[in-house]
Amino acid sequence: MMDAHKLDCESAESDCRFVVQSEDEGEAVELAKNHMKEIHGKDLSDDELRGEYLQVV
């Protein structure tokens, strides 16, 4: 079974229920990065997202 990469935005922004989940880590990071910038005005790097928010499920 393949691992999925997940970012639960509630862990970054307590008032947001947005969730990104993908088997492709790059895709999950890119979608999460776009969401954080467009919705929350935060410009996070790929490494910040991977290190602080991305989970493997």
Side-chain angles (χ1 to χ4, degrees):
M1 184 178 193
M2 290 194 72
D3 290 335
H5 303 276
K6 176 182 173 185
L7 178 129
D8 181 352
C9 194
E10 194 168 26
S11 65
E13 297 289 328
S14 62
D15 62 340
C16 184
R17 303 260 188 231
F18 183 77
V19 174
V20 169
Q21 184 168 318
S22 176
E23 290 179 354
D24 182 332
E25 180 182 6
E27 179 182 45
V29 168
E30 189 64 30
L31 291 170
K33 189 174 180 178
N34 289 340
H35 170 78
M36 293 300 283
K37 187 171 185 171
E38 292 173 8
I39 303 303
H40 302 294
K42 292 186 175 184
D43 194 14
L44 300 175
S45 71
D46 293 0
D47 290 336
E48 286 175 308
L49 285 169
R50 283 185 182 98
E52 296 182 35
Y53 305 112
L54 199 65
Q55 305 166 359
V56 177
V57 294

